[in-house]
Amino acid sequence: MTTRSAWPALAVLLVGAFMALLDTTIVNVAVPTIHTSLKASESTLSWVLSGYMLAYGLALVPAGRLGDRYSHKPIFVVGLILFTLTSTACAFAQNDLQLDLARAAQGLSAGIFSTSITAFIHLMFPGDLRGKALAIMGSVIGVSSAVGPLAGGLIIEAFGQENGWRYIFGINLPVGAVAVLAAFWLLPSGGRTDEDDRADRTGFVILTLALIVLLVPLVEGHNQGWPLWSYLVSALSLPMLSLFAWWERRVERRGGNPLIPPHLFAGRAFTGGVVLALVYFAAFTSIFFTISLLWQAGLDATALQSGLLLMTFAIGTVIGAARSDRLAARFGRTVLVIGLVLVSVSMISVLVVLAVVPPSGLRGWTLVAPLVVGGVGSGLFIPPNMDLIVATVPRDDAGAASGVIGTVQRVGSAIGIAVTGRILFDTLDFTGGDSPAVVFTRSATYATGASVVFVLVALALVFTLPRHSDDAPEPVARKEPHNAA
């Protein structure tokens, strides 16, 4: 595939990425209207949000490995078709149970095609252009993450409170249909077809159970105010993940096809970049959570106003990502340091504003500058860190690596929201007679402090990475299997 034809293919991939990531946040503002329209219970309706994220995270690694084995094009196309159909099912849901099931299926579909995006970038672009492609993808990540509440608010205002939420899902039908046709036409075919078709079913079961044990308590904890049991049950995932790592090494030693090849983690750049992404997404996502809750529950702002405020972060992300590839090529790891310093300054500034400015003086403009700075830093950090990770991955394992990256990003987001949410809700105290604005501002200050800790840890971790990533190594040769794994 020529570089000229790779750019139109990238556009198709980014449409899919935008749709999948947008649907993680756009529904937040629609929950009250869904509650009224479907007469849904709050406990069931909460899974409209969390079911999508859970299913999304569970699909990433298996889908990436299937793409490595059978080619990423059919995985992307099938996932995008399913996402379009399940979005339509969400739009026509007649009760909360139907909507919950359709949202879970929609999240699963998003996870199926999402890993192919990073894998295709790795396969289509050589090292000097891969950074630019990932920079564009970084802009899409930032914009789609922040624009969701704004887009949701605008759609509901345009189509009404009763059925406006249906158009939030329905808009995916025409966009998805066009994207599917373009994917058939523009995405390259081919890819590795492994002669050894023995699937690592045991590894799949162990990893799925470990992620369920990790994520379900964190997701449900968010719905129930972060009870202690949610953290204790999530901790059980650690021995399960250790068991998964042992099993994958066993499969690889016997010449099989591990779900996540252990040799991926042999390189310091890959392992360090993955851990760094986990910690960064805990910081990056948690600040959105805190500000949204403060603005709407504490300061009685509308979802649209909250979305407009967070949109400033997205603007900064586009600015930072547009320069990230050139800076990364020139300065190597240093660009990650610059990005994390800017994000640290941003979050510390937000912390100072919340601690010093009284709630009556909090306005959107007081946080615009810190959020723009944070967005620029995020744009400088996410694409080069992804490039650092994928540059050391054999081409045959691009899908598995993409699944790992996507999974740790989802896990990091869940952990960040769990920690900051627990701090925020545990410090809410209305017994002193203070107004909700005062109480929420005080608690949001504590929660923002946790986000600051996360980003400072990320800043410390970045110094453990190699300064420059080398080209991807050759695939590790498999042994001839002498026994079924």
Side-chain angles (χ1 to χ4, degrees):
M1 185 178 192
T2 64
T3 302
R4 178 177 295 180
S5 59
W7 291 109
L10 177 64
V12 177
L13 297 172
L14 294 183
V15 169
F18 186 84
M19 292 169 66
L21 293 170
L22 183 73
D23 272 49
T24 63
T25 58
I26 193 173
V27 184
N28 288 332
V29 300
V31 168
T33 61
I34 295 173
H35 176 68
T36 302
S37 177
L38 297 181
K39 298 178 174 57
S41 66
E42 293 184 4
S43 59
T44 304
L45 192 57
S46 65
W47 281 93
V48 171
L49 305 176
S50 52
Y52 179 92
M53 289 300 299
L54 177 61
Y56 190 126
L58 293 177
L60 290 169
V61 171
R65 204 54 175 148
L66 285 173
D68 286 335
R69 185 175 300 173
Y70 301 116
S71 172
H72 292 285
K73 180 173 182 176
I75 300 299
F76 181 85
V77 171
V78 169
L80 193 57
I81 290 173
L82 292 174
F83 183 83
T84 304
L85 294 175
T86 53
S87 297
T88 306
C90 290
F92 287 97
Q94 298 302 304
N95 55 57
D96 52 358
L97 179 59
Q98 289 181 17
L99 185 57
D100 280 344
L101 294 175
R103 272 288 281 178
Q106 187 193 33
L108 191 70
S109 305
I112 289 173
F113 73 75
S114 290
T115 52
S116 296
I117 298 170
T118 308
F120 263 124
I121 291 175
H122 183 48
L123 296 171
M124 293 189 307
F125 294 94
D128 56 336
L129 292 177
R130 187 173 54 234
K132 181 177 292 186
L134 288 171
I136 297 172
M137 181 178 174
S139 299
V140 171
I141 291 174
V143 171
S144 59
S145 299
V147 79
L150 173 61
L154 289 173
I155 290 174
I156 290 175
E157 283 203 4
F159 294 100
Q161 294 287 321
E162 179 63 25
N163 289 310
W165 65 270
R166 297 186 184 276
Y167 288 89
I168 286 177
F169 299 112
I171 194 67
N172 288 333
L173 179 57
V175 176
V178 173
V180 167
L181 293 176
F184 271 116
W185 180 31
L186 295 173
L187 293 185
S189 300
R192 189 182 76 180
T193 300
D194 205 316
E195 294 179 1
D196 185 357
D197 286 334
R198 292 172 302 150
D200 182 15
R201 297 183 181 88
T202 302
F204 170 74
V205 171
I206 297 173
L207 180 62
T208 300
L209 291 176
L211 290 176
I212 289 174
V213 170
L214 173 64
L215 294 176
V216 169
L218 295 182
V219 166
E220 189 61 23
H222 171 44
N223 301 330
Q224 297 187 16
W226 311 108
L228 182 60
W229 68 261
S230 62
Y231 298 92
L232 295 177
V233 175
S234 289
L236 295 176
S237 65
L238 296 178
M240 298 179 69
L241 289 171
S242 298
L243 174 63
F244 173 73
W246 171 83
W247 176 262
E248 295 299 275
R249 289 193 297 269
R250 179 178 183 270
V251 172
E252 187 172 61
R253 283 196 306 268
R254 292 174 172 241
N257 284 314
L259 192 64
I260 299 178
H263 62 256
L264 290 179
F265 294 91
R268 190 158 57 97
F270 182 87
T271 303
V274 166
V275 173
L276 185 57
L278 177 80
V279 178
Y280 177 73
F281 268 76
F284 154 68
T285 311
S286 60
I287 197 69
F288 281 177
F289 169 79
T290 301
I291 292 176
S292 295
L293 194 60
L294 167 63
W295 237 246
Q296 295 181 59
L299 302 181
D300 202 28
T302 65
L304 183 58
Q305 290 170 327
S306 176
L308 286 170
L309 173 61
L310 295 178
M311 186 65 186
T312 58
F313 189 97
I315 293 172
T317 300
V318 174
I319 296 172
R323 303 291 297 177
S324 64
D325 61 316
R326 295 181 183 178
L327 293 175
R330 182 175 180 182
F331 297 111
R333 187 193 67 179
T334 304
V335 72
L336 301 180
V337 177
I338 296 171
L340 287 174
V341 166
L342 291 177
V343 178
S344 300
V345 170
S346 167
M347 292 190 178
I348 292 171
S349 300
V350 171
L351 179 64
V352 170
V353 168
L354 295 181
V356 173
V357 178
S360 58
L362 281 177
R363 299 291 185 272
W365 63 266
T366 58
L367 293 182
V368 166
L371 289 176
V372 171
V373 170
V376 172
S378 188
L380 289 175
F381 172 82
I382 292 179
N385 188 53
M386 293 180 67
D387 195 16
L388 180 74
I389 296 172
V390 301
T392 56
V393 172
R395 292 170 64 87
D396 286 350
D397 294 322
S402 300
V404 172
I405 296 169
T407 300
V408 298
Q409 289 174 352
R410 303 287 81 73
V411 171
S413 298
I415 291 174
I417 292 175
V419 172
T420 56
R422 180 65 186 266
I423 293 172
L424 192 148
F425 286 114
D426 279 359
T427 55
L428 287 177
D429 183 8
F430 295 94
T431 60
D434 292 326
S435 66
V438 171
V439 172
F440 270 94
T441 301
R442 183 168 57 236
S443 296
T445 304
Y446 299 139
T448 303
S451 299
V452 169
V453 171
F454 276 125
V455 76
L456 292 178
V457 170
L459 183 57
L461 287 172
V462 77
F463 291 101
T464 67
L465 299 177
R467 291 187 177 275
H468 293 276
S469 60
D470 299 323
D471 290 335
E474 292 300 318
V476 173
R478 289 193 178 91
K479 301 176 182 178
E480 289 299 323
H482 62 271
N483 195 6

